[in-house]
């Protein structure tokens, strides 16, 4: 069966516009506030003077790890593959646990400004230059273009639904806004706004999950309607661990097959990039007060990233499977 497409139109009130403007103004003010401190020297700009506490840098890691596309992607996984579909990214748990215990202190101890600088120190000669050049090209072009592409597409779709903007206008507005406060305030402004944005996003996600439960009539009703709509596959949809099940009535595919689950936990997690906690995670650890704060920050990120953050979205995903059967 071809998945259904639902057209949802959002109508914003004056209060909606008021809070949106407050959010934009607050974020810009944070950026301007930290401009002088961030531009004192290069260490302040890239590592916040190496004085960040664990709770701030860890929360910044969590906030940076999800964007407009993440709640949509996870809710979509729930609808099409059940809760177990999250093993697509839950399989990365070993990376971050090992990162906290084996790499967090080492990143802080390295004393570099970026993970690229570590490559320069660790390797020498012509091979090191080739490696740095490859990393620069790989992360700047194919990797970041793909990541930014799907993130911006999700953001453009959301803004198109709420503000009636076309995709190009949406991308340009958000690019200008984000670039402004990030460029002028360095890591100081980025981490402080991350902290604020994390609690704002999580608060709204929790409220949405509560609204979803109340709107449908409670978790018991959600489970009953899942069984009525998806038949025998409903039990698999709410199972954390997958097992092959009958086809859901509205889809011509299995929920998460056991073979794919085994592939995730057996191979994907150790073949992915940044298994050492590099990139934006390393940048936060490099800004820590000391090795202890680097370790605790990475550990807090790992706990919040996997154990706390996804559950409101999972509830919303189950609600979406009930309210919009066959959504595509």
């Amino acid at each position: 069966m071809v998945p259904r497409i639902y057209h949802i139109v959002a109508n914003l009130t004056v209060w909606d516009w008021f809070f949106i403007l407050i959010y934009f103004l607050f974020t810009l003010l944070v950026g301007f506030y930290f401009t002088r401190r961030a531009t004192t020297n290069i260490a302040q700009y890239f590592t916040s003077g190496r004085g960040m506490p664990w709770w701030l840098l860890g929360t910044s890691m969590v906030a940076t790890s999800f964007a407009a596309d993440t709640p949509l992607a996870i809710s979509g996984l729930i609808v099409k593959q059940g809760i177990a579909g999250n093993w697509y990214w839950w399989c990365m748990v070993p990376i971050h646990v090992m990162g906290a215990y084996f790499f967090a202190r080492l990143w802080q101890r390295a004393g570099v400004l970026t993970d690229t600088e570590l490559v320069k120190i660790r390797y020498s000669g012509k091979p090191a230059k080739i490696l740095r050049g490859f990393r620069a090209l790989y992360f700047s072009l194919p990797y970041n273009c793909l990541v930014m592409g799907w993130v911006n597409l999700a953001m453009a779709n959301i803004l198109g639904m709420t503000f009636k903007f076309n995709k190009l206008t949406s991308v340009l507005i958000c690019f200008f806004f984000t670039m402004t406060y990030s460029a002028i305030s360095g890591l100081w402004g980025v981490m402080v706004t991350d902290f604020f944005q994390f609690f704002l996003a999580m608060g709204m996600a929790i409220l949405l999950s509560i609204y979803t439960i109340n709107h449908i009539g409670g978790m018991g009703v959600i489970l009953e309607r899942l069984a009525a709509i998806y038949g025998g596959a409903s039990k698999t949809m709410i199972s954390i661990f997958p097992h092959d099940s009958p086809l859901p009535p509205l889809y011509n595919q299995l929920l998460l097959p056991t073979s794919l689950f085994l592939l995730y936990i057996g191979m994907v997690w150790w073949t992915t990039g940044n298994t050492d906690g590099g990139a934006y995670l390393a940048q936060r650890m490099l800004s820590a007060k000391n090795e202890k704060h680097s370790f605790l920050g990475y550990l807090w990120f790992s706990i919040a990233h996997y154990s706390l953050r996804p559950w409101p979205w999972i509830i919303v995903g189950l609600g979406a499977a009930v309210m919009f059967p066959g959504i595509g």
Side-chain angles (χ1 to χ4, degrees):
M1 177 178 179
V2 178
R4 303 173 188 174
I5 299 177
Y6 293 83
H7 297 281
I8 302 173
V9 178
N11 296 310
L12 300 181
T13 66
V14 174
W15 282 109
D16 293 322
W17 285 104
F18 172 76
F19 286 114
I20 290 170
L21 290 175
I22 290 295
Y23 164 77
F24 277 97
L25 287 174
F26 175 81
T27 305
L28 287 175
L29 287 175
V30 169
F32 285 116
Y33 177 80
F34 285 104
T35 298
R36 178 176 295 182
R37 185 181 301 183
T39 54
T40 302
N41 55 59
I42 194 171
Q44 289 285 349
Y45 189 85
F46 283 106
T47 61
S48 305
R50 304 189 195 279
M52 285 296 178
W54 66 269
W55 51 268
L56 181 56
L57 67 92
T59 304
S60 178
M61 290 179 184
V62 186
T64 306
S65 67
F66 72 90
D69 66 307
T70 317
L72 301 178
I74 291 181
S75 298
L77 285 173
I78 302 301
V79 171
K80 293 187 177 181
Q81 295 187 333
I83 294 177
N86 284 283
W87 283 104
Y88 170 75
W89 63 283
W90 280 344
C91 69
M92 304 295 180
V93 168
I95 291 178
H96 294 128
V97 172
M98 288 191 295
Y101 283 94
F102 294 109
F103 295 112
R105 291 182 173 89
L106 297 178
W107 276 111
Q108 212 281 332
R109 193 181 304 170
V112 296
L113 292 177
T114 65
D115 59 343
T116 303
E117 185 180 355
L118 182 66
V119 175
K120 181 179 180 181
I121 296 174
R122 175 64 179 82
Y123 305 99
S124 60
K126 186 176 180 180
K129 293 181 180 180
I130 295 174
L131 177 60
R132 292 198 304 273
F134 174 80
R135 289 183 85 255
L137 290 174
Y138 173 73
F139 284 109
S140 299
L141 296 177
Y143 185 88
N144 279 333
C145 284
L146 285 173
V147 173
M148 292 173 65
W150 76 59
V151 169
N152 285 329
L153 178 60
M155 176 268 301
N157 287 333
I158 293 172
L159 293 184
M161 184 182 71
T162 53
F163 298 112
K164 311 301 187 295
F165 293 156
N166 61 50
K167 287 183 171 62
L168 180 60
T169 302
S170 302
V171 170
L172 291 176
I173 290 174
C174 290
F175 172 77
F176 175 78
F177 170 73
T178 306
M179 182 189 68
T180 299
Y181 80 80
S182 300
I184 65 176
S185 61
L187 195 60
W188 275 106
V190 170
M191 291 180 68
V192 172
T193 52
D194 279 348
F195 187 80
F196 162 71
Q197 290 167 357
F198 170 76
F199 286 101
L200 177 65
M202 284 304 300
M204 295 302 102
I206 292 171
L207 286 177
L208 180 59
S209 65
I210 294 173
Y211 175 82
T212 300
I213 293 172
N214 292 336
H215 179 76
I216 297 175
M219 283 302 302
V221 176
I222 291 177
L223 297 178
E224 291 174 2
R225 293 182 62 180
L226 282 173
I229 296 171
Y230 299 97
S234 63
K235 292 183 178 179
T236 304
M237 291 184 70
I238 61 175
S239 173
I240 292 180
F241 295 99
H243 50 82
D244 294 327
S245 65
L247 291 174
L250 296 175
Y251 294 100
N252 58 356
Q253 64 182 49
L254 286 170
L255 297 170
L256 181 68
T258 303
S259 57
L260 186 56
F261 167 73
L262 294 175
L263 179 65
Y264 286 159
I265 64 172
M267 180 174 291
V268 171
W269 67 270
W270 60 268
T271 58
T272 188
N274 299 321
T275 53
D276 57 356
Y280 67 88
L281 299 178
Q283 201 62 42
R284 271 70 180 173
M285 288 182 279
L286 293 174
S287 71
K289 288 182 178 181
N290 51 45
E291 294 178 19
K292 180 180 179 181
H293 281 268
S294 180
F295 162 71
L296 290 175
Y298 203 169
L299 186 62
W300 160 238
F301 157 74
S302 301
I303 294 171
H305 183 64
Y306 293 106
S307 302
L308 301 179
R309 195 188 68 177
W311 290 104
W313 304 337
I314 289 174
I315 292 173
V316 172
L318 293 174
V322 167
M323 295 176 63
F324 308 105
I327 189 171

